[in-house]
Amino acid sequence: MTSHFSYRVGGGLAWNDPTYIGRQADRDLLDALQHGHFAYVLGPRQVGKSSLRIQTRHRLTQLGYQCVTIHANQLTDSLQNDDAASWQMGLICAIWEGLYSTYSDGFLQWVQATAGLSGVAEGASSQLERLENFVQAFLVTALEKASVVILIDEVDALLDSPFAYDFFSWVERCYGRRVMEPAFRNLNFAVFGTAISDDFPCYKSLFSLGCRIDIAPFTLVETYALNQGFEGKVDEPTMLVKSIYRWAQGQPFLTQKLCRILRDLLNSLIQTDCAPLALSMKTIDHWVDESVRSHIIQDWPTQDDPVHLRAIGDRLTRSPNRKALLTLYKRVLLDSPPVPACASYTQAELLLSGIVIVQGHHLAIANNIYRHVFALK
């Protein structure tokens, strides 16, 4: 098994990827959706949101749900201009494709009949009317047969678009219709993205009443699931993963990257027919420390591939709130006195960068790699 085990750095993991580590977020999200709650997973880049979506979709499908995945960034990127009507039709087609293998004649005729409507020209009411018409003409039929969950990834792509308000208003209406129309109890939504919940339309209604799913770093015990990649290489893989945890502290991207770096180094040192290395904890720690410094921290802008650290730096330095963010980060870095966690927008923005986390009731640097790279000396 170990020879076929491969650490994955960046991108969503397949549902059966052996390096996927289940967390409390997996259980919380599945429970929320099974109980019919609107769920939102908002957090920094590269913490496992897309992988969580893929895992959840697989589990829901096994339970008999019909699942539709919408990539909001792909819908917005496909438009040459901010054409709300075209975006909306793209959304409708994506939902149809997620439910059915082919387009029916009835659906194609409906698309032709409604394509002439201009959401821009006729205003928001006509855009919502088209969505409502689609639901009534086609989606209700699917809801009468099975529960449907629409999973929307990269939802932050909608924030600066002209169709954000209409889309979330439509989602909110779908929940509102549950009281009078039982079929709508079989329709549910979950959104995933790198954004602050307060920035979304309908935050005070839809988001505040929904379930926020917090996606935390791996615990040390959870990280031990990655031991198998080092089996046959060292005689105590648990000690090696424990040393990796000292640096990455459960950050998914950095954990996988450091595991891959160390496994590649071991592969270059050990022949396949050699016995596993017998290393002391002190030797392992020294080797891991040197590897982190030489392969991640030293000259980090050129070694940051796939991009991770540079994205964090850009989020901090290019923000309109740059001065306040850097001031707050410096306070957290010094930790004297500790910075209490609160609901301020600046704290929310700093947390969204991923460079800090909430630990207990205070903010803390997310891991020792960030502490060394972003030392602010």
Side-chain angles (χ1 to χ4, degrees):
M1 178 184 292
T2 304
S3 60
H4 299 293
F5 189 92
S6 178
Y7 295 107
R8 311 291 181 183
V9 183
L13 301 178
W15 68 265
N16 58 350
D17 193 300
T19 68
Y20 185 79
I21 296 176
R23 290 174 272 182
Q24 185 62 44
D26 292 74
R27 298 182 284 276
D28 292 343
L29 180 57
L30 187 63
D31 182 71
L33 294 176
Q34 285 185 284
H35 285 86
H37 300 308
F38 172 74
Y40 56 104
V41 185
L42 303 177
R45 295 176 67 252
Q46 298 171 324
V47 295
K49 297 185 297 298
S50 293
S51 298
L52 173 62
R53 170 185 55 76
I54 293 167
Q55 290 287 329
T56 302
R57 177 186 173 121
H58 174 69
R59 294 190 177 105
L60 287 171
T61 302
Q62 287 185 311
L63 293 169
Y65 290 77
Q66 277 197 280
C67 296
V68 177
T69 299
I70 305 293
H71 298 277
N73 58 329
Q74 293 179 8
L75 287 179
T76 53
D77 290 347
S78 66
L79 299 180
Q80 295 183 353
N81 51 52
D82 291 333
D83 184 348
S86 297
W87 183 89
Q88 186 186 80
M89 192 58 72
L91 170 66
I92 289 170
C93 290
I95 294 173
W96 179 276
E97 290 168 1
L99 294 173
Y100 307 105
S101 57
T102 59
Y103 290 118
S104 70
D105 291 339
F107 177 71
L108 291 175
Q109 291 170 5
W110 179 85
V111 169
Q112 290 177 345
T114 59
L117 288 176
S118 171
V120 175
E122 299 185 26
S125 60
S126 66
Q127 296 177 44
L128 290 174
E129 183 182 349
R130 183 187 289 106
L131 279 169
E132 294 284 350
N133 188 283
F134 166 72
V135 169
Q136 210 58 46
F138 301 103
L139 192 53
V140 167
T141 303
L143 296 176
E144 290 171 347
K145 297 177 181 178
S147 293
V148 174
V149 178
I150 298 177
L151 306 153
I152 304 163
D153 206 1
E154 304 288 351
V155 71
D156 42 294
L158 292 176
L159 282 179
D160 295 325
S161 72
F163 14 85
Y165 181 82
D166 299 316
F167 171 72
F168 285 105
S169 295
W170 171 65
V171 172
E172 188 175 21
R173 286 190 185 190
C174 288
Y175 284 98
R177 292 174 70 170
R178 288 179 171 186
V179 177
M180 301 299 294
E181 300 177 68
F184 278 83
R185 297 170 192 167
N186 288 334
L187 177 62
N188 207 2
F189 295 83
V191 299
F192 305 76
T194 303
I196 298 171
S197 55
D198 301 49
D199 289 339
F200 284 92
C202 305
Y203 167 69
K204 292 186 177 179
S205 49
L206 179 63
F207 279 77
S208 64
L209 296 176
C211 288
R212 179 186 179 95
I213 308 298
D214 292 316
I215 187 162
F218 304 143
T219 65
L220 176 58
V221 173
E222 289 169 345
T223 310
Y224 287 151
L226 299 176
N227 284 1
Q228 59 181 303
F230 298 110
E231 291 173 359
K233 306 295 180 183
V234 294
D235 63 349
E236 291 290 345
T238 297
M239 292 198 305
L240 182 53
V241 171
K242 187 175 183 179
S243 190
I244 290 169
Y245 189 84
R246 285 189 306 114
W247 280 99
Q249 292 178 262
Q251 204 289 332
F253 178 92
L254 292 175
T255 299
Q256 292 263 13
K257 181 170 184 176
L258 190 46
C259 282
R260 190 172 72 178
I261 288 170
L262 294 175
R263 178 167 175 175
D264 288 347
L265 290 173
L266 285 170
N267 285 339
S268 67
L269 295 172
I270 306 172
Q271 300 298 321
T272 55
D273 56 348
C274 290
L277 294 177
L279 304 173
S280 68
M281 192 74 233
K282 182 177 180 181
T283 300
I284 288 174
D285 282 344
H286 177 73
W287 180 57
V288 171
D289 291 351
E290 289 302 311
S291 299
V292 171
R293 293 189 181 97
S294 61
H295 288 75
I296 296 180
I297 295 174
Q298 183 180 317
D299 195 21
W300 65 266
T302 61
Q303 299 202 92
D304 189 35
D305 183 32
V307 173
H308 177 76
L309 299 171
R310 280 177 288 165
I312 293 174
D314 288 347
R315 182 171 284 273
L316 296 179
T317 57
R318 296 180 183 179
S319 168
N321 198 25
R322 174 182 179 275
K323 185 175 180 180
L325 285 175
L326 293 177
T327 299
L328 177 59
Y329 174 67
K330 187 172 183 179
R331 288 177 56 204
V332 178
L333 190 64
L334 293 173
D335 196 36
S336 181
V339 179
C342 69
S344 76
Y345 193 87
T346 299
Q347 281 204 14
E349 193 174 354
L350 189 62
L351 287 165
L352 191 64
S353 73
I355 200 169
V356 302
I357 57 173
V358 176
Q359 216 170 61
H361 299 291
H362 297 87
L363 298 185
I365 304 302
N367 56 70
N368 284 323
I369 292 177
Y370 295 165
R371 187 182 297 277
H372 282 74
V373 169
F374 302 108
L376 293 184
K377 291 180 180 180

